Amino acid sequence: MADGSDDKGSNRPKLALHVPEPRYRPGDTVDFSHIPISEPGAQPRPDEAAEAQETFPLCNDLIRVLGEDNAAHGPWDPRLDAETLRGMLREMALVRAFDNRMYRAQRQGKTSFYMKCTGEEATSVCATHALAGDDMIFPSYRQQGCLIARGYELTEMINQIYSNKADKLKGRQLPIMYCSKRLSFFSISGNLATQLPQATGFAMASASKGDSRIAATWVGEGSTAEGDFHSALTFATVYNAPVIFNVINNQWAISSFSGFAGAERATFAARAIGYGMAGLRVDGNDPLAVFAAERWAADRARANAGPTLIEHFTYRAEGHSTSDDPSAYRSAEERTEWPLGDPIMRLKNHLIQLGEWSEEQQEAMDKELDEHVRASMKQAEKNGILGHGLHHPFHTMFEDVFEELPWHLEEQAEQAIRERKIKFPEGRPE
Amino acid sequence: MTPPAETMDQERQTGEAKDAGETREMNMIEAINSALDNMLERDDDVILLGEDIGYFGGVFRCTAGLQEKYGKTRVFDTPISECGIIGVAVGMGAYGLRPVPEIQFADYIYPGLDQLISEAARLRYRSAAEFTAPMTVRSPFGGGIFGGQTHSQSPESIFTHVSGLKTVIPSTPYDAKGLLISCIEDNDPVIFFEPKRIYNGPFDGYYDKPAKSWKGFDEAQVPEGHYRIPLGKARTVREGDAMTILAYGTMVHVVESVTRSKGVNAEILDLRTLVPLDIEAIEESVRKTGRCMIVHEATRTSGFGSELSALVQERCFYHLEAPIERVTGFDTPYPHSLEWAYFPGPVRIGEAIDKLLQD
Ligand SMILES: Cc1ncc(C[n+]2csc(CCOP(=O)(O)OP(=O)(O)O)c2C)c(N)n1
Ligand SMILES: [Mg+2]
């Protein structure tokens, strides 16, 4: 300011702007020893109906169950039977196989876009297992694991990804923006964090009706910077809404590290403290810890004891999407150096340690799942791939804007159909 | 200002007002309250939420007494977060409720825009109708109450521009009730703007004359019971052949008074619903009169008048005997002390009428 710059005699210190910078950039050697990794089994487990304050120490800790010894430890061990564990392992492996195939399908030009969740499978699959089947899920875009855990047919997913004529969403949504009311899986929005107040509203509605369904929502750590996050947590605590906020801290938001959402100053779980909400911080690559935390929060919500914020501490092992090249902004070593391992490997090793699984079974399962994905792709491709004519009829473009088609949309629909006839006088398959 | 008796009778025949019980004189606030009361009573899924709307009954008293009558889980106060209010209403709609959020002033709807535009308005489309957002966002709008730039705006064209939203604006107590009921029963998200200048009485544009109340006006005779006025249907306020005037909200009354005092035999259409628009009524009238004037309080550039003007030109060009006139607020924020210099009052409207008749 003009009058400030003349103020030569002032001995006030010069201000400096801090712009966060990640520790490692492309080519750097990565050392993650600064990340505090807690002892598996060492974290206390408050009662589900405890005062929110009792959870506050856990917001700066890391709930872990599976140890280096591949055994389950401590009070957060959910004591799941081997059958359930194998089910979760299978679904996580299916998610990964699906991601790999669909990524390649995008590269082969069968669709425009895809997003993997590699390394984060537990945060959706195991969390969904901890919910009741009709609890309402308000996902972000990296929760394909929730759908797979609820048994959604892969062909339905692929039809959506290909925007083909069998796509239930009529080719209207970007690939992977699924929706399934039947599976209590809300429609995915491209606008980040909007699902958070919506999940709160659903939970409030359920509570106001004396229902027993709760809501669970997922959001990336980068997106917690949106105002919707604050609105949602405020409403959730004000009305003690039965809702679970899963913050997936995978360290990156496209090319921006978590520091741009505030991670240099506080954990994401610690956001809960300011709202007086229960908060848990969990090793997101530990399937048992994820399940246990989510079940704790679900039981809490169902007992009218209030909402919970869970930070799932994990790592986005691959690029943000098919449109992203992470080697342009982060070190490739990060993935291999990540101190919390891989959720699929950890659950596999745990099952082997229990004597309930083997490397051979794992290999056979992986093969079988890949076959299943390939067969589903073949099936879906009969309905077309993106841009090859097998889409929904033109008129559907104008439907569902409103319940009934108003005159102006009817006129525009006629125009679209007329244009099509001019372009293709011989006609083309719808 | 009272429309011809036949028009009112016609109205009541097209609506369901016949079986709507005893009629009572109500101002627009009471009529809105009555609509909410009827809907809360008829449908357990209707709930009201908003800042100060519960115990206190709203800063304009539109929800007075409703919390006491229907309980705190159906009529409740919210945190001061328009993003939160609209956002939770989307989630409540997904559950199966029919929320009626109130935004205290239209000027404060902006923090909730993303939830309205990207979510409520798009949910039916993006989910192929698996999920919908059947909410009615009520909000007082418009100036003329010395509210300054943050309590006076008319942002309707922001919403008419959004595919998937309906926009409704009443101009009388009778219409306010019937339209609000139709909005709440509608399965799509609706923006219901309440012209706050005429909450307590019609306004002829002469701000220096004593304020009138709704007492004694036919349009303030409102049935106690449930009745609908269909969305997408304009109201012929007055028949005439000299020109067609398209208006809504407060401006309907101002236009009516100016044409009367000038002795112009204008046909006045109160649009009532901007989206979906009653294009048939507009076309029919303009074809008959050959002249068209559009009046709104909102700023001019990209205002809803631009859309109306384009539509009339596209559809009635060969019937037009003069260029279409637009009378609007100026493209400035709504000033406080110079409120009446901003407002499209009798002088601005009168000048436009003269021009339209001259051409
Ligand atoms: C409101 C909004 N702003 C920006 C974007 C563009 N965008 C899409 S994903 C993304 C990063 C989100 O990162 P994060 O929340 O950490 O989720 P992650 O991708 O890591 O799962 C951005 C900026 C968007 N989709 N919506
Ligand atoms: Mg992230």
Side-chain angles (χ1 to χ4, degrees):
Chain A
M1 265 162 64
D3 43 352
S5 56
D6 290 343
D7 198 10
K8 289 206 179 77
S10 166
N11 60 1
R12 288 183 299 192
K14 247 190 177 172
L15 298 171
L17 180 69
H18 171 70
V19 179
E21 182 60 29
R23 276 174 188 257
Y24 308 111
R25 286 298 192 186
D28 288 349
T29 301
V30 170
D31 175 6
F32 278 136
S33 59
H34 66 283
I35 298 177
I37 304 295
S38 61
E39 194 56 42
Q43 301 75 43
R45 185 182 180 283
D47 187 77
E48 287 87 344
E51 290 293 323
Q53 285 94 309
E54 267 195 63
T55 66
F56 293 170
L58 289 165
C59 294
N60 290 305
D61 203 328
L62 196 62
I63 297 170
R64 305 184 71 215
V65 173
L66 282 176
E68 296 285 323
D69 57 359
N70 296 321
H73 300 272
W76 287 94
D77 175 6
R79 297 168 195 284
L80 298 172
D81 58 47
E83 195 56 37
T84 306
L85 294 176
R86 278 192 295 261
M88 295 200 307
L89 178 68
R90 183 183 176 81
E91 286 156 18
M92 288 197 291
L94 178 55
V95 171
R96 191 163 295 180
F98 185 72
D99 276 359
N100 287 336
R101 285 280 166 196
M102 294 322 296
Y103 183 92
R104 263 186 270 169
Q106 190 276 341
R107 288 293 187 249
Q108 290 162 0
K110 293 177 182 174
T111 190
S112 56
F113 180 79
Y114 191 72
M115 293 179 112
K116 294 173 140 189
C117 67
T118 310
E120 305 171 35
E121 291 88 350
T123 63
S124 53
V125 168
C126 304
T128 302
H129 268 269
L131 301 172
D134 60 351
D135 286 339
M136 190 71 194
I137 287 175
F138 285 83
S140 182
Y141 47 70
R142 229 182 276 284
Q143 276 72 54
Q144 53 268 54
C146 298
L147 273 179
I148 286 181
R150 286 199 168 162
Y152 202 45
E153 299 76 9
L154 297 189
T155 44
E156 291 271 25
M157 297 174 79
I158 303 167
N159 288 335
Q160 197 283 330
I161 289 166
Y162 289 169
S163 273
N164 65 23
K165 71 177 163 70
D167 171 14
K168 232 164 45 74
L169 303 183
K170 306 188 179 175
R172 291 173 182 156
Q173 282 268 67
L174 190 72
I176 65 108
M177 302 280 185
Y178 313 106
C179 171
S180 173
K181 190 169 190 171
R182 176 171 59 87
L183 297 180
S184 297
F185 184 95
F186 192 66
S187 154
I188 300 173
S189 175
N191 293 51
L192 296 171
T194 51
Q195 70 276 19
L196 304 177
Q198 296 165 0
T200 306
F202 186 97
M204 288 169 66
S206 186
S208 81
K209 286 283 188 185
D211 196 346
S212 62
R213 296 169 74 190
I214 64 168
T217 183
W218 277 253
V219 70
E221 89 295 337
S223 307
T224 62
E226 291 285 0
D228 298 64
F229 179 78
H230 171 61
S231 302
L233 269 67
T234 301
F235 274 70
T237 39
V238 165
Y239 302 104
N240 206 40
V243 55
I244 307 171
F245 299 100
N246 293 290
V247 174
I248 307 304
N249 179 3
N250 62 5
Q251 316 301 321
W252 291 92
I254 310 185
S255 74
S256 305
F257 84 115
S258 58
F260 282 97
E264 289 180 331
R265 313 290 174 193
T267 69
F268 292 96
R271 301 279 187 270
I273 298 171
Y275 295 92
M277 183 185 295
L280 304 174
R281 189 161 176 273
V282 57
D283 175 350
N285 291 12
D286 178 339
L288 299 187
V290 168
F291 178 96
E294 196 79 12
R295 176 55 67 78
W296 185 94
D299 287 345
R300 179 179 181 81
R302 234 181 286 282
N304 274 316
T308 303
L309 172 67
I310 304 176
E311 174 184 347
H312 300 260
F313 194 70
T314 181
Y315 187 76
R316 194 195 79 207
E318 305 247 355
H320 172 72
S321 70
T322 45
S323 315
D324 180 47
D325 172 13
S327 71
Y329 52 79
R330 69 180 190 186
S331 170
E333 275 188 22
E334 285 196 7
R335 177 179 184 167
T336 45
E337 291 304 309
W338 184 247
L340 296 173
D342 176 83
I344 297 180
M345 290 307 117
R346 285 173 72 183
L347 187 54
K348 178 193 83 174
N349 292 337
H350 176 55
L351 273 162
I352 292 174
Q353 188 263 358
L354 290 175
E356 294 285 353
W357 196 242
S358 68
E359 293 287 359
E360 296 70 44
Q361 282 171 295
Q362 180 82 12
E363 209 174 298
M365 179 183 77
D366 281 342
K367 248 178 106 180
E368 180 211 325
L369 292 176
D370 191 50
E371 263 316 306
H372 173 40
V373 176
R374 281 173 50 182
S376 305
M377 285 173 79
K378 259 202 185 137
Q379 185 66 25
E381 279 168 27
K382 289 187 192 148
N383 303 313
I385 57 174
L386 182 67
H388 285 255
L390 293 177
H391 49 66
H392 279 267
F394 263 39
H395 197 266
T396 60
M397 177 163 107
F398 298 91
E399 292 161 10
D400 299 327
V401 176
F402 296 104
E403 187 173 32
E404 284 161 24
L405 218 60
W407 64 268
H408 63 284
L409 285 177
E410 198 59 84
E411 282 188 4
Q412 291 165 27
E414 281 161 23
Q415 177 180 350
I417 290 163
R418 197 170 57 246
E419 286 174 6
R420 184 176 171 75
K421 286 198 183 118
I422 294 169
K423 240 170 111 182
F424 304 107
E426 309 301 322
R428 251 185 87 160
E430 275 290 357
Chain B
M1 115 109 251
T2 310
E6 322 81 77
T7 316
M8 289 293 289
D9 286 349
Q10 241 173 29
E11 278 301 303
R12 285 170 194 197
Q13 282 155 22
T14 54
E16 293 174 7
K18 285 162 288 168
D19 320 312
E22 290 287 296
T23 291
R24 179 164 70 81
E25 190 166 79
M26 298 186 200
N27 63 28
M28 197 184 281
I29 293 168
E30 292 162 332
I32 287 164
N33 185 279
S34 173
L36 297 171
D37 191 354
N38 289 169
M39 289 310 297
L40 282 160
E41 172 142 45
R42 283 167 76 100
D43 184 350
D44 283 346
D45 291 333
V46 170
I47 63 145
L48 315 187
L49 67 161
E51 295 157 21
D52 304 299
I53 67 131
Y55 184 85
F56 177 59
V59 295
F60 289 103
R61 322 294 306 139
C62 288
T63 56
L66 297 177
Q67 183 179 77
E68 194 178 12
K69 192 163 171 189
Y70 296 99
K72 285 205 295 187
T73 55
R74 299 204 48 212
V75 180
F76 54 86
D77 293 323
T78 62
I80 303 166
S81 165
E82 291 72 18
C83 160
I85 293 169
I86 312 276
V88 301
V90 173
M92 289 169 167
Y95 181 86
L97 300 189
R98 216 170 259 285
V100 187
E102 174 180 304
I103 300 297
Q104 205 160 68
F105 289 87
D107 314 69
Y108 305 134
I109 204 164
Y110 307 128
L113 275 192
D114 191 38
Q115 285 289 348
L116 266 175
I117 296 177
S118 315
E119 302 297 317
R122 299 292 151 74
L123 189 53
R124 176 187 293 280
Y125 194 75
R126 78 175 200 226
S127 71
E130 280 204 341
F131 293 100
T132 58
M135 68 166 83
T136 301
V137 181
R138 291 182 40 247
S139 190
F141 90 129
I145 58 147
F146 280 108
Q149 59 170 317
T150 58
H151 300 83
S152 304
Q153 294 168 63
S154 297
E156 65 274 13
S157 71
I158 292 179
F159 301 97
T160 58
H161 191 59
V162 174
S163 54
L165 285 182
K166 295 180 177 173
T167 303
V168 177
I169 299 173
S171 72
T172 69
Y174 180 83
D175 278 7
K177 176 165 177 180
L179 286 169
L180 180 54
I181 286 177
S182 294
C183 292
I184 296 173
E185 292 179 348
D186 197 276
N187 291 326
D188 288 310
V190 188
I191 309 294
F192 187 80
F193 278 137
E194 302 166 2
K196 58 173 133 20
R197 171 70 214 209
I198 56 170
Y199 264 155
N200 288 304
F203 176 56
D204 61 9
Y206 292 93
Y207 59 91
D208 36 7
K209 287 199 283 191
K212 265 188 244 160
S213 83
W214 281 108
K215 264 201 183 68
F217 284 93
D218 274 4
E219 301 94 319
Q221 289 300 320
V222 181
E224 300 267 16
H226 173 279
Y227 67 97
R228 302 182 187 101
I229 292 178
L231 304 187
K233 288 272 171 268
R235 174 174 73 104
T236 307
V237 178
R238 175 184 197 291
E239 287 179 21
D241 55 19
M243 63 174 62
T244 298
I245 304 183
L246 307 178
Y248 48 90
T250 305
M251 299 320 294
V252 170
H253 303 276
V254 182
V255 157
E256 228 254 323
S257 127
V258 176
T259 50
R260 183 152 25 87
S261 68
K262 287 182 78 82
V264 182
N265 188 23
E267 180 145 298
I268 302 174
L269 292 190
D270 173 0
L271 298 179
R272 300 201 289 203
T273 305
L274 306 190
V275 176
L277 187 66
D278 190 348
I279 193 69
E280 276 176 31
I282 295 172
E283 280 182 45
E284 194 184 317
S285 178
V286 174
R287 289 205 175 120
K288 180 176 84 179
T289 64
R291 291 169 204 271
C292 180
M293 180 165 124
I294 297 156
V295 186
H296 62 59
E297 196 183 324
T299 47
R300 187 176 186 82
T301 304
S302 303
F304 194 65
S306 316
E307 180 64 30
L308 289 172
S309 174
L311 285 169
V312 170
Q313 185 274 134
E314 286 161 4
R315 290 166 182 262
C316 307
F317 184 78
Y318 296 107
H319 294 81
L320 286 176
E321 288 160 32
I324 299 161
E325 277 295 316
R326 268 191 296 157
V327 181
T328 69
F330 294 128
D331 284 337
T332 67
Y334 218 117
H336 186 234
S337 67
L338 295 180
E339 172 161 285
W340 296 111
Y342 171 95
F343 188 84
V347 173
R348 206 174 303 157
I349 295 170
E351 209 180 57
I353 289 177
D354 292 345
K355 190 158 169 251
L356 192 58
L357 289 176
Q358 209 178 69
D359 281 328

